[in-house]
């Protein structure tokens, strides 16, 4: 039995953890109405409608969806999973939501709710690996205080939802490693299927989990009697549930899945120039360092430093201490699992020369593994300072100083990151660390999904009383999509026109006001309108003193 003091301490930690999770959920609830709409959100909503139409027609409810929609078998985007979008659409139907603004604002909260649930999985995964609730809590704070991840958690119904389901599957796999029961096999199949039915890249979970099962069986003779049954159930269960969660697979499951995986690994429907470290590259011909650079410049420096510390510690342990006996114990198997799930997908997209764009969002799902490796960096430092090398009186003092300094650095870094996120809200999606340098807009694609458009549009309709307002864009700013997130009455006043259709000959008093958006994406001359005397700057949005959006008004 634990002493009373230990019980009180344990109880206090439990209360603290619950409070932090409630605060994180509350932040999402309060903050979700503030975000703009991303360029892909309507496509996700439309995809859900197409899938729902297919499902309702199968059961004879042909008139449930009134608007004309393509058949799912002919739909170009059927290679994208829609499991979350379908769930969100079902909730919105129940609530009777019809206008785009209420649909997308509410979906932002649902998106964040899935992310919040994945934080619970992150907590238990780290707690289990390090046998420490404090490590579990730190893992959650690391994930929440990752600016780009936090922002995308509200509106990215593809990559962030995929990361969340992938994280749940990772936690379920590690839980299975400790307690290999039939019930946990089914749980693992469920979460793996959710991930795969969101993005086909989730299939990497299957061979990785097979390997973990084999290594566990190699180490534990008693487990060998059930390995075939568990492996078979996991494989068949994941396969069956993936089909269930993905209507496009209901007809020709294997063929359609292979087509989907092939299409998305070489996504030729999106082939444009992207900006990386000041250089323009075609998305189909990226340099091998595309993903490493994006991770390096968009991840808080503390996490990067701890990640490399963790890598060094794991190399020492796996190669020099364990002589590559990676099946040594559960902690070692978990570390191997995280290493495989971080480096495996990155190496695969490099080798396959996959088409990537919009930062590294397509590989956000490797980020929880990245953070788990970073946590092993903290663990390695603590273990080193508590080892026999630090048992002399003088060494004990140095050991204490090192641990105290590490704790202070972690706390201060988290506070600074949190403060940056507060000041940048709701545009944490354009976070860069000091490695990115200055003049972000000339070196990297910034607000590639047009989240900053909402505030600019609301400023325009609030200050311009005209009944008709024309909007144009000289960059790839997705302004038309942003119309859906503003007030319905204001939405009727704005009209999207092509930049080349602007009428310069008509006097300003005889034509509608014209506003031009520039978020600098895919624009060879970023400030091309600054020197044009026909325009004046109406609005500019800066984040961390870096310009991410300029709106011009035709004089």
């Amino acid at each position: 039995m634990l002493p009373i003091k230990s019980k009180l301490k344990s109880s206090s930690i439990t209360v603290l953890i619950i409070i932090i999770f409630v605060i994180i959920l509350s932040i999402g609830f309060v903050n979700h109405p503030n975000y703009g709409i991303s360029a892909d959100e309507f496509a996700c909503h439309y995809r859900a409608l197409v899938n729902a139409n297919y499902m309702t027609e199968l059961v004879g409810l042909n008139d449930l969806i009134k608007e004309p929609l393509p058949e799912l078998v002919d739909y170009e985007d059927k290679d994208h999973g829609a499991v979350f979008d379908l769930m969100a659409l079902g909730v919105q139907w129940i609530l009777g939501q019809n206008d785009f603004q209420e649909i997308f604002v509410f979906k932002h909260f649902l998106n964040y709710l899935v992310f919040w649930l994945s934080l619970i999985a992150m907590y238990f995964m780290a707690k289990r690996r390090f046998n420490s609730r404090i490590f579990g809590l730190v893992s959650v704070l690391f994930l929440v205080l990752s600016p780009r991840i936090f922002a995308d958690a509200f509106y990215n119904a593809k990559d962030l939802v995929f990361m969340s389901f992938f994280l749940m599957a990772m936690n379920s796999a590690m839980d299975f490693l400790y307690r290999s029961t039939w019930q946990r096999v089914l749980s693992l199949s469920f979460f793996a299927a959710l991930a795969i039915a969101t993005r086909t890249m989730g299939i990497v979970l299957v061979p990785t989990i097979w390997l973990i099962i084999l290594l566990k069986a190699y180490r534990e003779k008693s487990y060998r009697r059930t390995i075939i049954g568990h492996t078979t159930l996991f494989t068949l269960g994941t396969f069956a549930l993936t089909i269930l969660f993905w209507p496009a697979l209901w007809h020709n499951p294997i063929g359609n899945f292979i087509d989907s995986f092939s299409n998305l690994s070489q996504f030729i429907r999106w082939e444009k120039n992207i900006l990386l470290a000041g250089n323009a590259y075609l998305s189909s011909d990226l340099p091998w360092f595309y993903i490493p650079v994006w991770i390096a410049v968009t991840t808080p420096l503390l996490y990067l430093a701890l990640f490399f510390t963790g890598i060094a510690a794991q190399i020492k342990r796996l190669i020099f201490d364990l002589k590559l006996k990676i099946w040594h114990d559960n902690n070692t198997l978990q570390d191997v699992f995280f290493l495989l799930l971080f480096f495996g997908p990155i190496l695969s997209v490099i080798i396959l020369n996959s088409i990537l764009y919009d930062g590294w969002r397509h590989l956000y799902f490797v980020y929880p593994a990245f953070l788990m490796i970073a946590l092993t960096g903290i663990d390695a430092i603590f273990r080193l300072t508590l080892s026999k090398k630090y048992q002399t009186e003088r060494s004990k003092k140095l050991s204490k100083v090192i641990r105290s300094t590490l704790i202070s650095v972690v706390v201060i870094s988290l506070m600074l990151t949190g403060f940056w996120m507060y000041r940048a809200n709701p545009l944490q999606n354009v976070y860069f660390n000091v490695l990115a340098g200055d003049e972000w807009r000339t070196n990297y694609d910034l607000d590639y999904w047009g989240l900053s458009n909402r505030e600019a549009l609301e400023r325009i309709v609030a200050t311009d009383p005209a009944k008709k307002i024309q909007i144009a864009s000289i960059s790839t700013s997705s302004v038309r999509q942003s119309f859906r997130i503003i007030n319905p009455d204001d939405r009727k006043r704005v009209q999207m026109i092509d930049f080349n259709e602007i009428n310069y000959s008509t006097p300003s008093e005889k034509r509608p006001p014209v506003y031009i958006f520039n978020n600098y994406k895919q624009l060879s001359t970023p400030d091309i309108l600054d020197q044009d005397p026909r325009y004046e700057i109406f609005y500019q949005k800066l984040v961390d003193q870096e310009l991410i959006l300029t709106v011009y008004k035709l004089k």
Side-chain angles (χ1 to χ4, degrees):
M1 182 178 291
L2 290 170
I4 296 297
K5 186 176 181 180
S6 298
K7 283 186 175 182
L8 290 174
K9 184 178 180 182
S10 176
S11 176
S12 299
I13 293 175
T14 301
V15 171
L16 174 64
I17 291 168
I18 293 173
I19 290 174
I20 289 176
F21 269 97
V22 170
I23 290 174
I24 293 171
L25 181 60
S26 301
I27 289 172
F29 180 76
V30 171
N31 202 32
H32 81 275
N34 298 325
Y35 286 84
I37 186 172
S38 69
D40 277 10
E41 283 189 77
F42 179 74
C44 291
H45 176 71
Y46 190 79
R47 187 180 306 126
L49 287 172
V50 174
N51 278 268
N53 187 55
Y54 171 75
M55 296 166 68
T56 54
E57 286 181 348
L58 282 180
V59 294
L61 299 175
N62 298 47
D63 299 326
L64 187 61
I65 301 177
K66 304 297 183 182
E67 60 184 287
L69 295 166
E71 293 295 326
L72 182 60
V73 292
D74 302 320
Y75 181 48
E76 185 180 44
D77 277 354
K78 66 178 181 293
D79 49 13
H80 289 70
V83 59
F84 168 73
D85 300 305
L86 281 168
M87 289 189 287
L89 182 65
V91 175
Q92 289 159 357
W93 279 352
I94 292 171
L95 297 177
Q97 295 178 341
N98 296 307
D99 182 71
F100 282 130
Q101 186 184 47
E102 63 178 354
I103 286 172
F104 290 117
V105 169
F106 180 70
K107 192 175 180 180
H108 288 175
F109 178 68
L110 294 180
N111 215 109
Y112 186 85
L113 183 61
V114 172
F115 171 67
W116 182 80
L117 292 172
S118 77
L119 294 176
I120 298 175
M122 186 73 179
Y123 168 79
F124 282 108
M125 189 165 67
K127 173 181 176 289
R128 185 185 305 109
R129 164 59 184 88
F130 300 102
N131 193 29
S132 167
R133 289 187 293 174
I134 296 300
F135 267 83
L137 184 57
V138 171
S139 74
V140 170
L141 294 177
F142 276 13
L143 189 51
V144 170
L145 295 175
S146 296
R148 286 179 175 249
I149 298 296
F150 179 81
D152 274 40
F154 288 94
Y155 51 78
N156 190 339
K158 297 193 295 187
D159 311 292
L160 241 294
V161 168
F162 175 48
M163 187 205 79
S164 298
F165 288 152
F166 197 90
L167 174 50
M168 294 175 192
M170 289 172 63
N171 175 60
S172 185
M174 294 301 94
D175 183 40
F176 171 76
L177 178 64
Y178 277 81
R179 294 173 290 181
S180 304
T181 64
W182 296 102
Q183 294 85 347
R184 285 177 173 80
V185 174
L186 292 174
S187 174
L188 177 55
S189 296
F190 174 79
F191 289 115
L194 279 179
I196 297 169
T198 303
R199 274 202 179 277
T200 53
M201 185 59 85
I203 196 66
V204 301
L205 283 164
V206 175
T208 309
I209 291 170
W210 284 343
L211 176 61
I212 295 300
I213 291 175
L214 285 173
L215 291 173
K216 177 182 172 68
Y218 181 81
R219 188 188 69 206
E220 301 174 13
K221 292 182 179 180
S222 60
Y223 181 64
R224 296 175 188 176
R225 288 174 292 180
T226 55
I227 181 175
I228 295 177
H230 282 175
T231 305
T232 302
L233 179 60
F234 164 69
T235 305
L236 294 179
T238 301
F239 179 73
L241 289 172
T242 299
I243 295 172
L244 177 64
F245 297 153
W246 196 342
L249 300 184
W250 292 358
H251 172 71
N252 189 17
I254 296 176
N256 285 343
F257 183 84
I258 292 173
D259 288 343
S260 176
F261 188 85
S262 176
N263 291 342
L264 295 180
S265 62
Q266 293 294 332
F267 197 59
I268 58 176
R269 300 202 295 269
W270 205 103
E271 189 173 14
K272 298 178 182 178
N273 284 327
I274 58 174
L275 199 58
L276 176 70
N279 297 305
Y281 298 96
L282 197 62
S283 58
S284 59
D285 189 26
L286 295 174
W288 69 268
F289 51 81
Y290 175 83
I291 290 297
V293 168
W294 266 107
I295 293 176
V297 299
T298 60
T299 303
L301 290 179
L302 171 69
Y303 308 167
L304 289 172
L306 292 174
F307 171 79
F308 286 112
T309 303
I311 289 293
Q314 292 197 24
I315 289 175
K316 176 185 178 298
R317 183 166 184 266
L318 293 174
I319 296 179
F320 298 103
D321 296 345
L322 297 179
K323 309 299 181 184
L324 290 178
K325 294 180 180 178
I326 57 177
W327 56 85
H328 178 261
D329 56 24
N330 282 340
N331 282 347
T332 306
L333 279 177
Q334 288 179 89
D335 292 341
V336 170
F337 183 69
F338 301 137
L339 288 168
L340 289 172
L341 290 183
F342 178 74
F343 287 105
I346 293 176
L347 290 174
S348 69
V349 300
I350 292 174
I351 294 170
L352 295 173
N353 193 29
S354 298
I355 293 177
L356 300 171
Y357 48 91
D358 295 345
W360 62 289
R361 65 178 179 85
H362 299 93
L363 287 175
Y364 277 171
F365 69 95
V366 307
Y367 193 62
F370 171 93
L371 291 181
M372 290 300 296
I373 296 169
L375 289 173
T376 63
I378 298 178
D379 184 60
I381 294 172
F382 269 79
R383 287 182 181 278
L384 178 62
T385 58
L386 293 172
S387 65
K388 293 181 180 179
K389 296 179 181 179
Y390 288 86
Q391 291 309 305
T392 65
E393 193 62 32
R394 184 177 179 180
S395 297
K396 284 182 179 180
K397 291 181 180 180
L398 177 60
S399 168
K400 187 175 181 180
V401 169
I402 293 173
R403 292 196 301 272
S404 299
T405 301
L406 177 59
I407 293 171
S408 299
V409 169
V410 170
V411 171
I412 292 172
S413 176
L414 290 177
M415 291 176 64
L416 290 174
T417 301
F419 182 62
W420 188 96
M421 292 169 64
Y422 172 76
R423 288 191 301 123
N425 191 62
L427 295 172
Q428 300 93 346
N429 58 299
V430 294
Y431 171 82
F432 287 94
N433 61 36
V434 296
L435 298 179
D438 300 323
E439 293 295 323
W440 297 347
R441 63 200 173 102
T442 60
N443 289 294
Y444 298 94
D445 292 327
L446 299 179
D447 186 20
Y448 47 75
W449 265 353
L451 276 302
S452 58
N453 294 338
R454 177 184 181 177
E455 184 177 324
L457 285 170
E458 290 176 341
R459 178 74 62 86
I460 290 170
V461 296
T463 57
D464 196 322
K467 293 182 179 180
K468 183 179 181 181
I469 301 171
Q470 293 184 334
I471 306 292
S473 176
I474 59 170
S475 60
T476 309
S477 55
S478 307
V479 186
R480 188 188 300 273
Q481 301 289 355
S482 300
F483 289 176
R484 296 186 173 95
I485 200 71
I486 63 175
N487 183 279
D489 293 331
D490 292 327
R491 196 184 308 146
K492 297 174 183 177
R493 298 168 55 206
V494 294
Q495 174 193 12
M496 194 74 194
I497 63 171
D498 189 274
F499 179 72
N500 297 319
E501 296 176 359
I502 295 176
N503 185 350
Y504 294 104
S505 60
T506 305
S508 59
E509 64 272 11
K510 294 185 179 181
R511 58 167 167 76
V514 179
Y515 297 86
I516 296 88
F517 280 61
N518 181 11
N519 74 342
Y520 311 105
K521 184 180 179 183
Q522 296 180 11
L523 198 63
S524 57
T525 309
D527 302 317
I528 190 171
L529 294 186
D530 282 10
Q531 307 304 319
D532 192 326
R534 295 172 296 183
Y535 294 95
E536 61 183 354
I537 294 177
F538 169 78
Y539 169 88
Q540 288 187 316
K541 185 63 181 180
L542 287 84
V543 173
D544 206 9
Q545 300 181 349
E546 292 280 352
L547 190 59
I548 66 168
L549 173 69
T550 297
V551 178
Y552 302 89
K553 184 177 181 181
L554 182 62
K555 294 179 181 178

